[in-house]
């Protein structure tokens, strides 16, 4: 059995009760933290809390050379862990399909995602979100601006009145000069807002920082204004709202400090 377990958003306790029970019952546990990570816990915290050794794999070890994970799952109960939910954004469908091809039973135990937490924290209604996008560091796409694909997604959503979640780049194990096992970099919301403000200077943006933590932060203002603020420790993301329902506008004003003149309802 290969069980994919989402760890949730913040620390060793963010996992569901069912996920914790399955993890503690597993013979072996593997994890990856290159797509996202738990800001409130290190691997050692997870191991101590759940009383199990966790073998961390890098991207090639999961996506190109997962044989050791699959070999173990052929004869043992194996858990595969990621932050958030293992099949939302940090998707590992390929690993699940490889297991299926080998006749290995698979199961998914879901965790809270940044998408659902963002809707909850901002008051923006979940069914009014369009396609999400990821804003990469400039060196990651070889340019010095916002990729056209990101702008197309935002523009298409806005034309339909839909909100856009903009995930911010994470670079673990790879930096500007290529592979680097010591490199760990998280794009901040002010950095992202500065990039986007070149194209959408007076557009309303919403910052969500440290979703899932005891003290998350939500702030709404123009992208140019957000570019001049600091939002503390990662992880951060941005939302570019579309058309606002009256209740959504009230939520952004009262919960996120959005200026009244940017709430066009």
């Amino acid at each position: 059995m290969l069980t994919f377990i989402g760890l949730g958003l913040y620390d060793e306790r963010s996992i569901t009760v069912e996920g914790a029970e399955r993890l503690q019952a597993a013979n072996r546990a593997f994890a990856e933290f290159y797509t996202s990570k738990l800001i409130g816990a290190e691997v050692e915290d997870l191991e101590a809390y759940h009383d199990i050794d966790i073998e961390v794999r890098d991207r090639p070890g999961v996506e190109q050379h997962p044989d050791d994970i699959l070999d173990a799952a052929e004869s043992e109960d194996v858990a595969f862990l990621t932050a958030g939910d293992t099949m939302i954004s940090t998707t590992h469908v390929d690993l699940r399909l490889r297991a299926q091809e080998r006749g290995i039973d698979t199961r998914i135990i879901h965790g809270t995602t940044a998408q659902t937490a963002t809707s909850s924290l901002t008051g923006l209604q979940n069914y009014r979100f369009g396609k999400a996008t990821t804003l990469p560091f400039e060196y990651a796409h070889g340019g010095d601006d916002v990729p056209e694909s990101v702008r197309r997604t935002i523009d298409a959503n806005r034309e339909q009145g839909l909100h856009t979640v903009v995930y911010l780049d994470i670079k673990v194990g790879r930096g500007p000069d290529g592979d680097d096992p010591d490199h760990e970099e998280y794009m901040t919301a002010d950095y992202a807002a500065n990039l986007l403000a070149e194209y959408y200077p007076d557009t309303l943006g919403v910052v969500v920082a440290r979703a899932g933590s005891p003290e998350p932060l939500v702030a709404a203002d123009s992208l140019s204004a957000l570019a001049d603020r600091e939002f503390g420790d990662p992880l951060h993301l941005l939302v570019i709202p579309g058309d606002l329902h009256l209740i959504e506008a009230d939520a952004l004003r009262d919960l996120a400090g959005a200026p009244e003149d940017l709430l066009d309802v």
Side-chain angles (χ1 to χ4, degrees), residues 161-174:
L162 301 175
H163 313 317
T164 307
V165 171
V166 182
Y167 295 108
L168 306 186
D169 203 0
I170 295 173
K171 285 288 176 281
V172 176
R174 185 172 180 83

Side-chain angles (χ1 to χ4, degrees), residues 2 8 19 27-28 31 37-39 48 59 65 76 81 93 120 128 131 147 149 161 166 168 187 191 207 215:
L2 178 58
N27 301 113
R28 292 179 69 179
K37 70 174 294 184
L38 300 176
I39 293 299
R59 188 182 294 273
H65 310 291
E76 297 178 290
L81 314 172
V93 176
S120 299
R128 295 168 65 88
K131 179 183 176 181
S149 60
V166 182
L168 306 186
M187 185 181 289
Y191 188 98
V207 172
E215 296 182 353

Side-chain angles (χ1 to χ4, degrees), residues 225-247:
L226 294 173
D228 290 330
R229 296 170 62 176
E230 294 184 0
F231 302 101
D233 293 335
L235 299 170
H236 300 174
L237 61 75
L238 271 172
V239 179
I240 310 298
D243 296 341
L244 294 172
H245 184 278
L246 179 61
I247 294 177

Side-chain angles (χ1 to χ4, degrees), residues 128-198:
R128 295 168 65 88
F129 281 82
K131 179 183 176 181
T133 188
T134 297
L135 180 61
F137 286 109
E138 294 96 312
Y139 67 80
H141 68 92
D144 57 3
D145 57 2
V146 175
E148 184 180 352
S149 60
V150 174
R151 287 180 273 133
R152 281 201 305 264
T153 297
I154 294 171
D155 292 343
N157 284 340
R158 295 182 74 197
E159 287 174 5
Q160 298 179 72
L162 301 175
H163 313 317
T164 307
V165 171
V166 182
Y167 295 108
L168 306 186
D169 203 0
I170 295 173
K171 285 288 176 281
V172 176
R174 185 172 180 83
D177 299 321
D179 291 339
D180 180 355
D182 297 322
H183 188 81
E184 190 169 317
E185 186 177 14
Y186 305 90
M187 185 181 289
T188 60
D190 56 298
Y191 188 98
N194 183 62
L195 291 174
L196 290 167
E198 181 177 346

Side-chain angles (χ1 to χ4, degrees), residues 121-122 124 189 193 204-210 216-223 225-227 229-231 237-241 251-259 262:
L121 289 168
T122 62
L124 296 174
L204 179 64
V206 186
V207 172
V208 177
R210 298 173 296 284
L217 179 148
V218 182
D221 209 329
S222 68
L223 287 169
L226 294 173
R229 296 170 62 176
E230 294 184 0
F231 302 101
L237 61 75
L238 271 172
V239 179
I240 310 298
L252 290 182
R253 182 189 63 235
D254 297 345
L255 302 177
L262 291 177

Side-chain angles (χ1 to χ4, degrees), residues 47-98:
E47 291 178 322
Y49 189 83
H50 297 288
D51 192 27
I52 191 169
D53 293 332
I54 298 174
E55 303 170 53
V56 179
R57 293 290 182 267
D58 60 10
R59 188 182 294 273
V62 174
E63 298 178 1
Q64 300 173 28
H65 310 291
D67 287 341
D68 58 340
I69 300 172
L70 297 172
D71 290 345
E74 285 186 327
S75 59
E76 297 178 290
D77 190 354
V78 172
F80 183 81
L81 314 172
T82 69
D85 185 297
T86 59
M87 296 297 166
I88 302 296
S89 294
T90 55
T91 179
H92 290 291
V93 176
D94 180 68
L95 183 59
R96 188 182 185 200
L97 291 174
R98 293 188 190 211

